[in-house]
Amino acid sequence: MTDPSATFLLFGATGDLAHRMIFPSLYNLLSDGLLPDDFMIVASGRTEMDDEAFRADIDKALQKFVGADRYDAEVAARLKAMIGYQPVEAGKPEQFRKLAERLDGRAERGLSVYLSTPPSLFAPTAQGLAEAGLITPTTRIAMEKPIGKDLASSKEVNDGIGALFDESQIFRVDHYLGKETVQNLLALRFGNVMFEPLWNATAIDHVQITVGETVGLEGRVSYYDGVGALRDMVQNHVLQILSIIAMEPPARMDPTAVRDEKVKVLRSLRPMTAETVKTNSVRGQYSPGAVGGEIVTGYSDELGQPSDTETFVALKAHIDNWRWQGVPFYLRTGKRMPARQSEIQIQFKPVRHSIFGRAGGLEPNTLIIRLQPEEYIRLLIMSKRPGLEREVHLEEVTLDVSLTAAFAGQRRRIAYERLILDLLAGDQTLFVRRDEVEAQWTWIDSIIDGWKEAGVKPSPYASGNWGPSSAIALIERDGASWHD
Ligand code: BG6
């Protein structure tokens, strides 16, 4: 790692992500004294605007998204003083020249570029930077998803950026990796002695990963339709969680060791076929219903036309390696679910032999790791029900660790705070390497191709449900059930 970048250059600075996440994160970092001295933020977008107009706009966003309890006009003023706005449009070399003038030799002291634009602009933007002399060995570039819509297009994006930057300078963002609870999976698995010996096919029956959202399309028609839940959520966030749950222990917490182990898992995912998608996948699309007591419309009504895009997907995945042979990973994610709820369930196998005979309510152990909105770890274990009966009666009790309570004094960070800080410092551990993205797409493509070949269309589910009933059948066929 080198000195932190002295300049942060944001493309797509007038967009939603910049307002909701990136500037509030920079505000929090500044407020905690975590930004380098003499730091400069150059915001850029296509809109013509001067510094003052942009700063005023950001101030409004900070008041809205930082939270009333944290917003402090003095910190906001310091942040605004660091921000300059420069209109730049990809393909206009003159504007990139002006941008370079504005940076006035600062790129030499480390420049972190953040692309929060549509992916079609990634390569042209990088090209503009190169022509303006803004790419040096200390320039880093961060990219938001989606990186392509399949393996072929992701390779194009990666080639476009890779022609101008070394992989060690490229930071692919998956904001789930910035979440404290996702990083905590590493601490849970590798910072405790009791889980690792059991973390394999000998002791684990199956794993469930659920990422449920209550929101619908949210005015993201142009992006979401034609993309769908598989590409929007499984290709990145869900597979990143899966890779951390399933990976071998890395030798140390460094970018190469961690990502080497993750990519091995991703490459071990068994590809689906037109035959297996029929039993191992479910596509759904929300229809009218009620979420949290509110009546909501269906996807096609929001869209204004019928569509074949899935807003829900459930999958039964297999990881073909030694550790996970015969252990299914059930994955599901969807919009307009009954609750915003992301969690992992590790379902252990029954004890080998019950000394309690047929009596007694013996159940296999379950570990539940809730990622959001609450943060907790629950282990369901067997305990003797108190009483003088001659036959032992067992009952499930919960070992319950609330991380929210255990760390009550600590502010929960926006995922982007961690990621921006790591980008500035040049630490790639929590960013996705090219081979990971490509392994993710390889598996996702096998499902999409399978769906096409087998003609699998989304089945409707009433908003406020955990997907179509076939999603329940997907797991119950194997004698298990979703943890709702
Ligand atoms: C984004 C998806 O990557 O993640 C959105 O594009 C989704 O569709 C969002 O709503 C979920 O993120 P979080 O942090 O709210 O769970």
Side-chain angles (χ1 to χ4, degrees):
M1 261 188 276
T2 51
D3 286 341
S5 303
T7 306
F8 182 74
L9 168 57
L10 175 64
F11 287 90
T14 53
D16 188 53
L17 185 78
H19 285 70
R20 280 190 304 119
M21 298 289 173
I22 297 180
F23 282 104
S25 297
L26 288 163
Y27 172 98
N28 285 334
L29 293 175
L30 176 68
S31 148
D32 290 346
L34 294 171
L35 292 182
D37 294 337
D38 182 29
F39 192 60
M40 181 173 171
I41 299 164
V42 179
S44 118
R46 282 184 306 178
T47 320
E48 289 285 342
M49 212 189 305
D50 63 15
D51 287 352
E52 278 319 309
F54 185 76
R55 288 174 184 153
D57 187 35
I58 289 305
D59 198 30
K60 271 194 239 133
L62 293 176
Q63 294 188 38
K64 188 163 168 199
F65 296 114
V66 161
D69 52 327
R70 276 194 59 77
Y71 179 83
D72 175 343
E74 185 270 326
V75 179
R78 277 198 287 137
L79 183 71
K80 283 186 289 173
M82 292 178 166
I83 304 175
Y85 182 82
Q86 188 66 37
V88 184
E89 201 173 330
K92 296 202 171 153
E94 182 49 30
Q95 293 191 327
F96 279 91
R97 260 198 300 284
K98 287 203 183 120
L99 176 67
E101 277 166 27
R102 179 122 202 193
L103 289 173
D104 192 19
R106 289 180 64 98
E108 302 304 320
R109 287 194 285 132
L111 173 65
S112 283
V113 182
Y114 198 110
L115 304 179
S116 175
T117 63
S120 55
L121 299 178
F122 291 172
T125 305
Q127 191 57 41
L129 292 170
E131 285 163 10
L134 290 173
I135 304 183
T136 74
T138 58
T139 307
R140 303 188 181 110
I141 191 153
M143 292 186 274
E144 271 294 332
K145 67 172 249 284
I147 302 199
K149 60 177 180 38
D150 53 20
L151 178 62
S153 53
S154 82
K155 280 188 172 167
E156 267 172 42
V157 175
N158 284 325
D159 284 345
I161 295 292
L164 298 166
F165 291 90
D166 184 71
E167 180 65 26
S168 64
Q169 296 173 282
I170 303 174
F171 291 67
R172 294 178 195 80
V173 176
D174 183 315
H175 78 278
Y176 268 56
L177 295 179
K179 289 182 192 271
E180 202 70 69
T181 41
V182 174
Q183 293 162 46
N184 196 35
L185 296 173
L186 291 167
L188 182 77
R189 283 197 59 198
F190 306 124
N192 295 294
V193 75
M194 67 273 257
F195 296 117
E196 202 42 35
L198 298 179
W199 211 260
N200 55 49
T202 312
I204 293 179
D205 178 77
H206 73 267
V207 175
Q208 297 180 19
I209 302 176
T210 295
V211 179
E213 297 186 278
T214 52
V215 292
L217 199 46
E218 285 187 303
R220 294 164 83 213
V221 177
S222 60
Y223 159 70
Y224 196 86
D225 196 54
V227 172
L230 183 69
R231 292 183 174 102
D232 182 48
M233 294 295 284
V234 181
Q235 185 273 335
N236 36 67
H237 311 321
V238 175
L239 287 186
Q240 280 295 321
I241 296 173
L242 173 141
S243 68
I244 297 174
I245 289 291
M247 73 201 229
E248 296 301 313
R252 64 192 75 81
M253 195 53 193
D254 79 17
T256 304
V258 171
R259 299 188 298 176
D260 280 353
E261 295 307 338
K262 284 198 296 168
V263 79
K264 283 201 280 190
V265 172
L266 295 166
R267 288 191 184 133
S268 308
L269 282 164
R270 186 185 303 165
M272 295 219 194
T273 63
E275 205 39 51
T276 57
V277 286
K278 290 186 206 150
T279 42
N280 292 352
S281 80
V282 170
R283 294 178 86 188
Q285 188 187 85
Y286 62 82
S287 52
V291 180
E294 248 182 62
I295 305 290
V296 294
T297 55
Y299 180 80
S300 55
D301 303 319
E302 271 180 74
L303 193 65
Q305 62 187 52
S307 161
D308 274 348
T309 300
E310 81 282 349
T311 60
F312 171 91
V313 62
L315 301 165
K316 178 180 173 184
H318 295 277
I319 299 173
D320 280 334
N321 66 14
W322 196 281
R323 184 187 283 259
W324 295 114
Q325 209 36 243
V327 181
F329 280 64
Y330 299 99
L331 318 175
R332 67 176 171 167
T333 182
K335 300 215 181 268
R336 294 282 190 232
M337 304 275 100
R340 175 172 187 254
Q341 183 175 308
S342 302
E343 71 172 32
I344 298 154
Q345 178 179 322
I346 311 289
Q347 183 60 59
F348 291 95
K349 291 187 168 163
V351 290
R352 282 183 200 181
H353 163 68
S354 170
I355 63 166
F356 307 105
R358 291 167 66 82
L362 181 63
E363 296 283 347
N365 300 125
T366 306
L367 177 68
I368 297 162
I369 308 166
R370 174 66 64 92
L371 305 176
Q372 59 188 28
E374 309 90 351
E375 299 174 9
Y376 59 71
I377 297 167
R378 282 187 187 153
L379 184 59
L380 307 185
I381 55 168
M382 283 293 121
S383 179
K384 178 186 176 299
R385 193 171 73 199
L388 298 178
E389 300 95 338
R390 197 143 301 284
E391 261 184 1
V392 174
H393 283 271
L394 297 171
E395 238 174 68
E396 213 167 48
V397 294
T398 309
L399 274 179
D400 198 343
V401 182
S402 160
L403 299 169
T404 318
F407 299 105
Q410 314 253 3
R411 182 168 64 77
R412 311 318 272 167
R413 301 281 183 170
I414 305 172
Y416 285 89
E417 292 181 49
R418 166 87 274 150
L419 297 178
I420 292 172
L421 206 56
D422 286 355
L423 167 68
L424 296 177
D427 184 341
Q428 292 184 305
T429 313
L430 300 178
F431 293 86
V432 185
R433 208 165 58 186
R434 176 173 181 156
D435 52 2
E436 288 181 85
V437 176
E438 295 185 356
Q440 289 170 182
W441 275 123
T442 302
W443 191 63
I444 296 296
D445 279 0
S446 77
I447 300 168
I448 292 170
D449 293 346
W451 283 347
K452 267 193 210 137
E453 212 180 311
V456 178
K457 302 272 183 238
S459 315
Y461 61 95
S463 292
N465 285 285
W466 288 107
S469 54
S470 44
I472 298 170
L474 172 105
I475 188 166
E476 298 208 334
R477 217 179 285 136
D478 296 341
S481 50
W482 293 108
H483 182 255
D484 291 338

